[in-house]
Amino acid sequence: MIRRGTVFIVGAGPASPDLLTLRGLRLLRSADLVIADRLVPPGYLGELGLGDDGPEVIVLGRGRGETARARDLAAAAALEGKVVVRLKGGDPSVFARTGEDLEAFATLGVPCEVVPGISSALAGPAAMKLPLTRRGAARSFAVATAVEETGRSATSWPRADNLVVLMGASSLASVTEGLVGAGWDPGTSAMLIERAEGVRGRAAAGTLAGIAAAAAAEGIAAPALLVVGPAAAGGLGAGGRLRVLFTGIDPTGFRNLGVILHWPALRLVLDDEGTNRLPGALRDLVAARGALVLADVVAVRAFFAELGGLGADARALANLHVIAGGRAADAALAEFGIRPDGVAAEPGGEARGRRGYAGGRVLVVGGTHVPGRLAAAFGVGEAGAGALVLRRAIPDPELRGPLPGHDVVVFTSPAGVRAWHGVFGAAGFGRPAWCLGPRVLEEVERLGGGGVVMAGPGVADAAPGLSESAQREGKAP
């Protein structure tokens, strides 16, 4: 049971919502007020299914007084009996001033609990497949900040087999010089990782003496972390791992392709027409005890966000035949406690799902579009069968260069290809393109690029069967 009048200091993890702990998610869903760090990315709460009907959200600015302001707001709300989530990037116990928060709340008599998150100090090396401890090579690691309390660059450094330095991208040259002065060998392996597990991530590898120049060549900027020691010895792309520039919205099903550098070309926003139509369409569907088809992950999460905005929850689906548009949609429904009556995961699966439904009315809900195969299988456009979308994709306003070094670029939609070309032009097609479907490849070729179509509906077993030479030539899985 969640106690009223409590501040929960929750670690948001390293920018990726699917790395939030289950306890953190439950608290966010029950909160009256969320006070989020500016490092928590835009759209984070939306991707968790917390829409406009969710808790009040305050996002902190960049000023030095913002931490104290957040503390005052949280305390005042808790003393009014509200459940407050103070959402901090990474782990609250790692360079997040949580100790000061705890002292202040104790003085004010405000109950407070800390919910851990995944620190970027751990997520960054993990994303690059760099174990910080390894039998026979490293039995210890340390985490340090490059900035002292006074705001000046650090002058002392801990010793361990591997060292992770946070907040050092803007003063990387002085950090590396300081480490060499503290006894680290200039030839020690080093890697600088930007936006660990977040969007527009990139990395540069080299030696301690040369990492600043390598990072400058890659255009790496804050937020970034530095890994120094044998953990960084593998180097980016070692062992045949491709550097895959992924331009789609969700890279979850593609991480086996190699080292994923997530640079989304599109951003999701509300589709006003679809969201306005949903209440009436759902009301008619429930009255007819019809079939609800949720096409994809975006459709599932958007649907439940809109359902919450209507003051309803999963109980509204009790008399409906629910069908997932694929395996990913099936997994997303499980997040909301729903086991669908059918899963359209394989060719012909849609038709089997339709035959298993005895009623007549059907509503196919898409995320940004309704796939043609689902529309055809469920007779969209015929009597009693309708469709709508809840989100639309627009060019990501934050997309800009320089591009990181990469081996291939993955495109998932024609709209994404156009948005990518609009920012980078011909330079955006400098490496082979792997395209999710022939229409995507056609758009790449129309704009002057080249590539191949990825085989398989989920590219689940794509890269492992390729030789390194085939991968480097850009041959699709």
Side-chain angles (χ1 to χ4, degrees), residues 371-393:
R373 61 187 180 87
L374 288 180
F378 289 95
V380 171
E382 301 173 7
L388 55 82
V389 297
L390 298 175
R391 299 292 184 264
R392 58 188 177 88

Side-chain angles (χ1 to χ4, degrees), residues 295-296 299 364-372 388-392 413 439:
D296 51 34
V364 181
V365 176
T368 60
H369 68 288
V370 173
L388 55 82
V389 297
L390 298 175
R391 299 292 184 264
R392 58 188 177 88
S413 70
R439 291 181 58 244

Side-chain angles (χ1 to χ4, degrees), residues 7 33-37 58-61 64-77 84-88 101 105:
V7 176
L33 172 65
V34 175
I35 304 173
D37 279 351
I58 298 173
V59 179
L60 300 182
R64 287 194 173 186
E66 289 294 276
T67 300
R69 172 174 167 260
R71 200 175 295 140
D72 293 341
L73 290 171
V84 182
V85 169
R86 176 69 174 92
L87 190 62
K88 298 190 175 189
D101 291 337
F105 293 141

